[in-house]
Amino acid sequence: QWSKLGSLPPLPPLLLLLLWVTGQAAPVAGLGSDAELQIERRFVPDECPRTVRSGDFVRYHYVGTFPDGQKFDSSYDRDSTFNVFVGKGQLITGMDQALVGMCVNERRFVKIPPKLAYGSEGVSGVIPPNSVLHFDVLLMDIWNSEDQVEIHTYFKPPSCPRTIQVSDFVRYHYNGTFLDGTLFDSSHNRMKTYDTYVGIGWLIPGMDKGLLGMCVGEKRIITIPPFLAYGEDGDGKDIPGQASLVFDVALLDLHNPKDSISIENKVVPENCERISQSGDFLRYHYNGTLLDGTLFDSSYSRNRTFDTYIGQGYVIPGMDEGLLGVCIGEKRRIVVPPHLGYGEEGRGNIPGSAVLVFDIHVIDFHNPSDSISITSHYKPPDCSVLSKKGDYLKYHYNASLLDGTLLDSTWNLGKTYNIVLGSGQVVLGMDMGLREMCVGEKRTVIIPPHLGYGEAGVDGEVPGSAVLVFDIELLELVAGLPEGYMFIWNGEVSPNLFEEIDKDGNGEVLLEEFSEYIHAQVASGKGKLAPGFDAELVVKNMFTNQDRNGDGKVTAEEFKLKDQEAKHDEL
């Protein structure tokens, strides 16, 4: 109701006092018994950016007493400040003069003589004639109808790529106080940001204006006069009418609903033979933060890459898009607005409507349709004998990930790796990569995970879904036997083979006789066992194949040769 006094003609002192003593109007300040106004400044705050001038609107508390200490009125008893324009005849003359020059939070003890109060008439039943009035005044608020929103930025981050514009959506923390510092609200106390659109009427006009131009990370104090805040009526709860408001604001986040992702390339390798495409499978490390730098997730903390298909909806839309077109080894920053992230609801420790920042490092990627890649670095002049299935190979290798992380090295161990090609002794991609290689050749073989160690990897050695790089040097090649053979004759087969094996002539061949004979043929060069395998095991398997009834001995009826070319016959 008091704000309406400013629009009425000046009230006569008696009417003003009558309103005041009934709790409808405001007090007046005075002190002493002299004929002149006396003011004692009992407390002056250290900071006083503004003082009361004629024409200002003020809110203040007071206690009014007579010189003998008898109280005749108090705003505290009504639990409401007195709100009035200064210098417009709405107060007794002494109070109009006594308020000028006051600071918010200043306390004055004012002695008003009768001629500046209610004079020789007084107020019947309330103020005796010729009364000196004492007022203990505490100023709570000042504003002027010409005031605008005041902005004081006390922290601004070094980097400010974007500021708040009309229609942006923001998330910020704030403390809301009155001019005297009394807290009326705080997002910090609720432990939740205030989230809203700016400039479209979702906020009080002063806040709509005061937030414009802020950077993420900026901190500013926004002072709003009541006519740009909650006006004459206040908010009906915590904010009284005609209250100036002070918001201490820290901006955490902003985006616009029209935003797409933004990408900042941090490190791009010079050699980038291929960039990621939809359908590729990526392994990458990342730190995920909010715009204010708050970390919400990190693959590094788990010591494991994040592995996923891209472009197929396995990750949030912003990351699906942001991971396209990367090189292996690339580092980039992907900023994802909430409508392409976790939306209004958020997820886990990600707040609703949060802009997300991912700093990623691409470790490797492949496509499920990929085959191995072979690059030959050196071939000797004579490179006519090429490795094939069944050959026994001795080679050195360094095994690493695409980012250069060394996994294993035969050079470090000081011994070669030996295998029979095509026998399943190495992963399929390595088997393929060693084909058609000559002794002395050096090559690099890149193996996608589906031809390597797959999604599981090797615990503690090879990460799941890892692309592998093998640098290989072939040192020795022993030609293998034709496919399906474990032993061959290098010459003609004796027509009396069974009799030669059955030295005691009893018509039965035991394993010991069979093994002794085969090894003798190999030693003399007449026969050859498949290289790279356990000779005893091969011979035992050959014997078992001939022992058709499984009685531990081979008879002439059981003994047969494999029906092949004569010089390749196998038992």
Side-chain angles (χ1 to χ4, degrees):
Q1 297 178 359
W2 300 120
S3 61
K4 298 177 181 178
L5 291 175
S7 61
L8 295 174
L11 298 175
L14 181 58
L15 179 56
L16 180 59
L17 180 59
L18 291 175
L19 288 172
W20 162 54
V21 296
T22 57
Q24 302 281 325
V28 205
L31 190 151
S33 57
D34 299 337
E36 301 298 330
L37 178 69
Q38 294 183 22
I39 298 173
E40 178 188 346
R41 303 182 76 181
R42 292 195 169 179
F43 174 78
V44 180
D46 293 334
E47 294 185 9
C48 183
R50 173 176 180 174
T51 62
V52 177
R53 294 176 298 176
S54 182
D56 285 344
F57 191 93
V58 296
R59 297 191 308 114
Y60 62 93
H61 271 302
Y62 71 92
V63 175
T65 62
F66 297 116
D68 62 0
Q70 180 183 352
K71 181 171 68 174
F72 58 82
D73 193 21
S74 172
S75 63
Y76 297 101
D77 294 342
R78 295 188 295 275
D79 196 26
S80 174
T81 57
F82 186 70
N83 309 336
V84 70
F85 281 99
V86 175
K88 294 189 176 182
Q90 297 180 4
L91 295 164
I92 58 176
T93 304
M95 190 58 106
D96 250 345
Q97 296 175 10
L99 292 171
V100 172
M102 282 192 79
C103 310
V104 170
N105 283 329
E106 181 177 345
R107 183 183 175 195
R108 288 187 174 184
F109 193 69
V110 183
K111 172 184 172 182
I112 303 179
K115 67 176 183 179
L116 298 179
Y118 296 96
S120 58
E121 296 184 2
V123 178
S124 177
V126 181
I127 305 294
N130 296 311
S131 292
V132 175
L133 304 181
H134 293 186
F135 287 92
D136 190 345
V137 180
L138 178 62
L139 187 64
M140 311 296 289
D141 197 345
I142 316 170
W143 59 269
N144 191 284
S145 58
E146 297 179 359
D147 286 347
Q148 299 296 320
V149 174
E150 293 183 9
I151 296 172
H152 169 61
T153 295
Y154 63 93
F155 176 77
K156 195 165 187 176
S159 175
C160 184
R162 174 174 176 179
T163 62
I164 296 176
Q165 307 294 321
V166 171
S167 80
D168 281 345
F169 191 89
V170 298
R171 297 192 311 113
Y172 61 91
H173 270 303
Y174 71 90
N175 285 324
T177 65
F178 302 122
L179 273 188
D180 68 340
T182 301
L183 185 73
F184 63 81
D185 192 18
S186 173
S187 64
H188 299 281
N189 292 345
R190 294 190 296 274
M191 299 181 68
K192 188 178 188 304
T193 56
Y194 192 78
D195 308 340
T196 184
Y197 286 95
V198 176
I200 62 172
W202 284 35
L203 294 162
I204 56 175
M207 201 60 166
D208 255 345
K209 183 176 182 180
L211 291 170
L212 293 176
M214 281 192 81
C215 310
V216 170
E218 182 176 340
K219 298 179 181 180
R220 61 170 54 170
I221 294 173
I222 303 170
T223 304
I224 304 174
F227 52 86
L228 295 175
Y230 293 94
E232 297 181 5
D233 298 325
D235 70 347
K237 297 180 294 181
D238 302 312
I239 300 173
Q242 302 291 25
S244 301
L245 305 181
V246 180
F247 291 93
D248 191 339
V249 177
L251 183 64
L252 274 67
D253 197 344
L254 80 147
H255 75 277
N256 194 282
K258 298 179 181 178
D259 286 348
S260 59
I261 65 168
S262 68
I263 295 173
E264 179 184 354
N265 292 323
K266 298 289 189 177
V267 176
V268 179
E270 293 182 5
N271 183 19
C272 184
E273 297 179 357
R274 172 179 167 185
I275 60 174
S276 60
Q277 300 174 343
S278 181
D280 284 343
F281 191 88
L282 262 71
R283 296 195 313 117
Y284 62 95
H285 272 302
Y286 70 91
N287 283 324
T289 63
L290 306 180
L291 269 186
D292 66 345
T294 301
L295 184 73
F296 62 79
D297 193 18
S298 174
S299 64
Y300 297 100
S301 66
R302 295 188 293 274
N303 197 29
R304 191 181 190 284
T305 57
F306 189 79
D307 309 337
T308 185
Y309 288 96
I310 60 169
Q312 297 185 343
Y314 284 84
V315 290
I316 57 175
M319 284 298 276
D320 241 353
E321 181 182 350
L323 291 169
L324 295 174
V326 296
C327 305
I328 291 170
E330 181 172 341
K331 296 180 180 180
R332 67 167 47 173
R333 172 169 288 183
I334 304 169
V335 181
V336 181
H339 51 275
L340 297 176
Y342 292 100
E344 295 181 4
E345 299 301 320
R347 178 179 177 181
N349 57 349
I350 299 174
S353 300
V355 177
L356 308 179
V357 180
F358 293 93
D359 287 304
I360 68 160
H361 180 198
V362 180
I363 303 302
D364 72 29
F365 63 83
H366 73 279
N367 195 282
S369 63
D370 286 348
S371 185
I372 65 169
S373 167
I374 298 175
T375 304
S376 183
H377 304 294
Y378 171 76
K379 289 185 178 182
D382 181 11
C383 192
S384 56
V385 179
L386 302 179
S387 58
K388 64 184 184 305
K389 185 177 180 180
D391 288 350
Y392 181 60
L393 307 182
K394 294 184 178 182
Y395 60 94
H396 271 308
Y397 70 84
N398 282 329
S400 61
L401 303 178
L402 277 181
D403 66 351
T405 301
L406 185 66
L407 299 176
D408 192 18
S409 173
T410 57
W411 278 289
N412 292 345
L413 296 174
K415 60 180 181 179
T416 59
Y417 198 76
N418 309 328
I419 67 159
V420 176
L421 199 57
S423 64
Q425 295 176 354
V426 290
V427 295
L428 182 58
M430 191 63 167
D431 207 303
M432 297 165 64
L434 289 167
R435 303 282 175 112
E436 300 184 357
M437 194 174 183
C438 62
V439 173
E441 183 177 347
K442 298 178 182 179
R443 61 171 54 170
T444 297
V445 180
I446 299 176
I447 302 175
H450 52 275
L451 298 175
Y453 292 99
E455 295 182 8
V458 179
D459 189 30
E461 297 182 43
V462 181
S465 300
V467 179
L468 304 178
V469 180
F470 286 90
D471 291 313
I472 302 168
E473 181 180 0
L474 183 59
L475 300 180
E476 187 177 336
L477 183 157
V478 179
L481 304 186
E483 188 170 356
Y485 289 81
M486 296 301 288
F487 173 86
I488 62 171
W489 298 96
N490 290 326
E492 295 297 327
V493 181
S494 171
N496 300 314
L497 183 58
F498 182 80
E499 289 75 10
E500 291 181 11
I501 300 174
D502 182 21
K503 288 185 178 181
D504 59 9
N506 66 351
E508 297 176 345
V509 174
L510 301 179
L511 175 60
E512 291 76 9
E513 294 176 284
F514 186 85
S515 177
E516 181 181 348
Y517 180 83
I518 295 298
H519 284 302
Q521 305 310 302
V522 172
S524 66
K526 294 180 181 180
K528 181 180 180 180
L529 288 167
F533 296 100
D534 184 328
E536 293 300 330
L537 183 60
V538 170
V539 171
K540 184 177 181 180
N541 286 339
M542 291 169 62
F543 179 82
T544 301
N545 288 339
Q546 295 296 322
D547 181 16
R548 303 180 193 282
N549 63 7
D551 63 355
K553 53 192 176 183
V554 178
T555 64
E557 290 75 20
E558 291 176 300
F559 189 79
K560 294 180 181 179
L561 295 176
K562 193 169 184 178
D563 187 18
Q564 288 284 342
E565 295 178 13
K567 65 178 181 178
H568 286 156
D569 280 350
E570 180 190 6
L571 293 173

